[in-house]
Amino acid sequence: MCDFSNLDETQKQAYHEKLLHCANAFGGKNFFLQLLEAIRETKPHPLTARNSEFAFPLGSIKWNKVIFNDKLQLLLKVRLGESKRGNLLPEETDKSYKKVLNLVRTLKPIVFTVKPERKEDGSGFFFQPFEVIDAHTTRLNPVFDALFFCSLDTVKKVLNYEPKD
């Protein structure tokens, strides 16, 4: 998803609608972008938090399982190849296939819950890190990708996208 300009119009529209829905559920585009800025500024990466939570003044993200740094590093590595292949999983003959498959099996059941601090700002939303297409195809959930990995400029492009007629 971070390669937004290389996507076709249908995919762009779908990602725009998904992220806009999430932004509105969090209180609007500005609150959503402030959440992303806070995530980008946090070191070490918020996904490795021992309490499985990221909190900042406008809201919080909670998840139900600790993610260790080695899993995060592997995820960062394999997500780069996903945009080329259209699949997070490498070929079965690839040396890293088993590691990546175990990563997917470990992180797949995790549910992320994003809630604004004030109820009047929105109801929040939840998501899982992956979209399993079939037994051999798994992709990063665009919301997960946008929240934790894509640049702010890319997310702004997605949120402000207007389809060409």
Side-chain angles (χ1 to χ4, degrees), residues 9 14 22 33 35 103 109 142-143:
E9 294 300 315
C22 292
L33 291 170
L35 169 66
L103 169 77
V143 175

Side-chain angles (χ1 to χ4, degrees), residues 23-163:
N24 290 334
F26 192 71
K29 288 181 187 179
N30 287 336
F31 282 11
F32 188 72
L33 291 170
Q34 287 179 49
L35 169 66
L36 272 73
E37 285 175 2
I39 289 170
R40 302 299 181 276
E41 292 169 0
T42 303
K43 302 288 183 244
H45 199 285
L47 284 175
T48 60
R50 285 197 181 115
N51 61 352
S52 302
E53 180 178 0
F54 174 76
F56 85 122
L58 297 176
S60 65
I61 304 174
K62 294 179 183 180
W63 54 99
N64 55 341
K65 188 175 184 180
V66 174
I67 299 172
F68 294 102
N69 194 44
D70 61 328
K71 297 290 184 199
L72 176 64
Q73 295 309 314
L74 180 58
L75 180 61
L76 290 169
K77 186 177 164 187
V78 297
R79 74 178 273 279
L80 296 175
E82 180 200 14
S83 58
K84 294 174 194 146
R85 290 189 307 270
N87 188 1
L88 198 64
L89 299 173
E91 295 294 322
E92 288 187 39
T93 55
D94 194 301
K95 289 179 186 177
S96 65
Y97 178 76
K98 267 202 153 125
K99 278 186 180 179
V100 176
L101 186 60
N102 286 336
L103 169 77
V104 170
R105 287 180 179 158
T106 302
L107 300 184
K108 171 75 176 96
I110 297 176
V111 176
F112 292 85
T113 306
V114 182
K115 291 198 173 180
E117 186 63 32
R118 300 179 342 183
K119 295 276 186 238
E120 57 269 20
D121 288 334
S123 58
F125 59 95
F126 62 92
F127 62 92
Q128 290 185 288
F130 304 116
E131 294 177 341
V132 177
I133 311 303
D134 60 40
H136 303 287
T137 310
T138 300
R139 294 191 185 117
L140 271 180
N141 182 331
V143 175
F144 180 70
D145 205 14
L147 268 175
F148 294 108
F149 304 114
C150 292
S151 71
L152 283 174
D153 287 341
T154 300
V155 176
K156 285 178 188 175
K157 275 184 201 172
V158 175
L159 287 171
N160 295 325
Y161 172 75
E162 290 185 20

